Each structure stands twice: as structure tokens, then as C-alpha cells.
Amino acid sequence: MSVWAVLAAAGRGERLGSDRPKAFARLGGRPLLAESLERLEDSEWIDGIVVAAPPEWEEPSILVAEEIGAGKVRACITGGASRSESVRLALAEVPEDAAATLVHDAARPLLAEEVIERVLAPLGEGWDGVVPGLPLSDTVKRVEGEQVVETLPRGRLVAVQTPQAFVTDALRQALSGDVSDATDCASLVEARGGRVKVVHGDPRLLKVTDANDLALVESWLGADGSP
Ligand code: CTP
Ligand code: MG
């Protein structure tokens, strides 16, 4: 089975508030993008990679790939207005014979090989998609304005991360409609009746959103079993 990866790196990183897109914020002395890209390159499961780069940052993205010797990068496209648009544009570069596609956020640099393995394995058991999820420690409430309207049963909720793995055809179909409101790809597959499995996530896959997250991930760098 041929497996390709789409690396969503085209966001602006407004909440990080840097002078450059989040994918080019410094992490361990190099662009944040380099960390997840290198890990995808080194994964024994991944055959090809498509990077969705921020507008006007396509060339620097290709340079990052070259600097780390990421020969699996087959295309680097200009991202779209939303994450889902970026993934859809990148997916157009994934070949027909790629049975499975992994979608990962560049904003989650500490991608472990075990997680890649964990999300890919169930695709062979009839699932359309697989997501890594973590149990919630806080109680979650639904609100309308400032009023609480419902307390949700925490035991039945998970916080979902990336990498998310999909049967490529199911992902293509899911992305072919209106994708504007989606915050992840799995929700689009679910909306079409696709079966999505949740497997155990990884706290180290924290998404870098603000400067505190960046400092935290930086402190974990090199301590997560990677070279
Ligand atoms: N992303 C993307 N294309 C977009 C928007 C987001 O590829 N048009 C990617 C980001 O690069 C990131 C992932 O989707 O790796 C998750 O998005 P998020 O954490 O929201 O990143 P940004 O949109 O860059 O940050 P912000 O929302 O603070 O601007
Ligand atoms: Mg965003």
C-alpha cells in the first residue's frame, strides 16, 4: 500500500504574532516546518510528501526540504484561504495510486513514528479515517453567550490531533464539497457517513498556537526519543 503525506503549513500564525508565518517561526534553531517534515521523511511508512506552503513562502519551503534532504517531497503548493482548502489543493498532487493519505499540521512538530503507525494500521480493517485523540481533563460545557446551557459527558469526549490517516478516495470525496467550516479533515469524512476511528494520541503532539506553546515544544525537543 502506497502512503502519501500532506503537510499543512500554509497558515498565517496570527495568534503566534511573529513577523513571519508560523511554519517559519524558529524551533530549535531552524524553521518549525523542518521538524515535522524531517520526521515524515524519516518515516518508513511514508512514500511521498506534498507541502502546502504559505503564499509567497513556496521557495523558502522548498529550501527547507532541500536543506534537510527531504527527497520524498514531490510537490510544494501554495495553500488556500483555510486549512481545508490547503489540504484540498495539496491532495490534488497526491497520485491516484496512493491508497492512504496522512494529513498533518506543521504546527504539531513532534510527530512520532509510533503515532504514524497507530493511525495507519486501522485503515486495513475497513475504517475510512483514523484520528489520534486524548481524553479531556477539564469539564466541558456548551455555552450560548455567557450562559452555560449544557455540561457534556467528559468520558465520551476526546481532543483530536493530527496526523489523521484516510483512505485517499474517502478524503478526496470529503474535500470535494463545502469545506469552509471544517477545523479538521475527519469531520468532513464523518459528515459524508465515513467511519472514523479514534486511537490513542500523544501529548507531545501539542499544536503550537501561541508563544507559550512554542517554548513548551522547544523544551521537549530532543527529549522525545527522536535523534
Ligand atoms: N493551515 C494551512 N492553511 C491555512 C490555514 C492553516 O495549511 N489556510 C495549517 C497551519 O499552517 C497549521 C494547521 O493548518 O499547521 C493548523 O492551523 P492553525 O494552528 O490555526 O495555524 P494558523 O492558521 O497558521 O494560525 P492562526 O490561526 O493563529 O493564524
Ligand atoms: Mg488558523
Side-chain angles (χ1 to χ4, degrees):
M1 179 177 83
S2 169
V3 181
W4 278 54
V6 165
L7 187 58
R12 286 214 284 262
E14 275 170 5
R15 288 166 291 178
L16 187 58
S18 167
D19 60 348
R20 60 193 71 182
K22 186 154 73 185
F24 289 87
R26 306 300 282 183
L27 177 74
R30 52 185 197 166
L32 183 117
L33 168 68
E35 193 64 38
S36 50
L37 191 56
E38 190 171 57
R39 289 159 183 253
L40 287 171
E41 173 71 23
D42 292 346
S43 171
E44 65 172 281
W45 298 99
I46 305 299
D47 299 300
I49 303 168
V50 181
V51 178
E56 293 173 33
W57 288 79
E58 301 85 352
E59 290 277 317
S61 300
I62 292 166
L63 273 177
V64 170
E66 282 174 7
E67 271 164 26
I68 61 178
K72 289 181 189 170
V73 175
R74 303 296 155 73
C76 178
I77 57 103
T78 311
S82 66
R83 181 186 184 277
S84 304
E85 292 286 350
S86 295
V87 174
R88 172 161 54 197
L89 292 165
L91 198 60
E93 302 295 324
V94 171
E96 286 301 320
D97 66 357
T101 300
L102 195 80
V103 181
H104 185 61
D105 293 332
R108 302 179 192 271
L110 302 185
L111 175 59
E113 179 78 348
E114 300 81 71
V115 182
I116 297 179
E117 211 168 301
R118 226 179 287 154
V119 294
L120 284 173
L123 292 182
E125 300 159 7
W127 297 92
D128 299 301
V130 187
V131 300
L134 290 175
L136 300 176
S137 47
D138 293 326
T139 297
V140 179
K141 297 184 190 288
R142 198 163 60 77
V143 296
E144 272 165 28
E146 61 185 12
Q147 186 180 342
V148 172
V149 291
E150 189 185 2
T151 298
L152 299 165
R154 191 174 66 191
R156 297 173 58 186
L157 297 172
V158 286
V160 167
Q161 308 173 309
T162 75
Q164 301 188 346
F166 301 94
V167 170
T168 304
D169 286 345
L171 183 60
R172 280 195 217 276
Q173 275 175 34
L175 285 166
S176 65
D178 177 17
V179 299
S180 46
D181 291 340
T183 53
D184 77 347
C185 294
S187 60
L188 297 166
V189 173
E190 293 153 30
R192 295 199 155 224
R195 292 175 69 237
V196 176
K197 179 177 183 168
V198 59
V199 296
H200 200 64
D202 184 349
R204 306 256 163 155
L205 275 172
L206 176 77
K207 186 164 78 165
V208 172
T209 301
D210 58 27
N212 285 330
D213 301 328
L214 189 60
L216 193 54
V217 168
E218 176 117 26
S219 75
W220 291 340
L221 207 56
D224 69 324
S226 68

